[in-house]
Amino acid sequence: MPTASTDSSERDSLDVFWMQRALELADRAAALGEVPIGAVLIKDEQIIGEGWNSPIASHDPTAHAEIMAMRAAARQLGNYRLLDTTLYVTVEPCVMCAGALIHARVKEVIFGASEPKTGAVNSAFNLLTSPQHNHQILVRGGILAAAAAERLQAFFRSRR
């Protein structure tokens, strides 16, 4: 497993490493007939929660990858506050997930593909860094974006 470092090339390697795990989880969602989005929540360079989209199978409209990862992490930590954590997610979070990330006090969100219609990070909305909230989240996007976008395009192509 990679180790933390302030060197930007090592940080880039960490980002790719964790996003690859999120992409594996997105593939799991797709195999189950769900929209292929995966997420991992990291604290101290360890996975503390992971998830993939499962609203169809779980009959739960809130069962987005980010929410599932945060639920798992909160259970593991015994706390709904997910301080000093980083979420890697294959697609830019929606409004619901952005709100949950703010309430959980996640420190950073790193996403793959942008979501121009409903993205709540910097595409359609800009919620995570909004000064109206009492907590702002560091944001970076575009990590393995092409791989994440291709999964979405292939999924929706197969549905037409």
Side-chain angles (χ1 to χ4, degrees):
M1 177 175 311
T3 58
S5 172
T6 58
D7 180 72
S8 68
S9 66
E10 287 189 42
R11 181 179 177 142
D12 292 344
S13 293
L14 281 172
D15 289 347
V16 168
F17 179 82
W18 294 122
M19 190 62 74
Q20 285 172 332
R21 177 62 187 151
L23 288 166
E24 291 170 8
L25 297 169
D27 291 340
R28 186 178 295 183
L32 297 171
E34 304 276 359
V35 176
I37 300 175
V40 292
L41 196 63
I42 307 301
K43 184 176 177 74
D44 300 325
E45 298 307 323
Q46 299 290 319
I47 293 175
I48 59 167
E50 56 185 24
W52 54 93
N53 270 15
S54 60
I56 298 167
S58 65
H59 309 290
D60 178 356
T62 69
H64 289 195
E66 301 94 323
I67 301 292
M68 303 309 288
M70 285 187 285
R71 286 177 182 164
R75 280 191 301 272
Q76 180 170 325
L77 296 177
N79 192 341
Y80 75 102
R81 296 282 193 216
L82 303 173
L83 303 174
D84 298 317
T85 60
T86 299
L87 180 82
Y88 288 85
V89 60
T90 58
V91 177
E92 181 180 0
C94 70
V95 170
M96 174 186 69
C97 293
L101 290 159
I102 292 165
H103 288 294
R105 304 297 193 268
V106 169
K107 180 179 180 179
E108 185 173 21
V109 170
I110 299 169
F111 66 91
S114 294
E115 179 26 86
K117 292 182 182 178
T118 61
V121 173
N122 63 13
S123 292
F125 306 99
N126 187 358
L127 297 180
L128 298 185
T129 59
S130 174
Q132 287 88 352
H133 296 293
N134 61 346
H135 177 71
Q136 288 80 43
I137 297 176
L138 300 171
V139 174
R140 287 186 292 125
I143 307 299
L144 300 180
E150 172 51 35
R151 281 165 171 78
L152 285 173
Q153 292 163 354
F155 176 82
F156 289 112
R157 255 192 322 269
S158 73
R159 299 291 184 269
R160 293 185 187 125

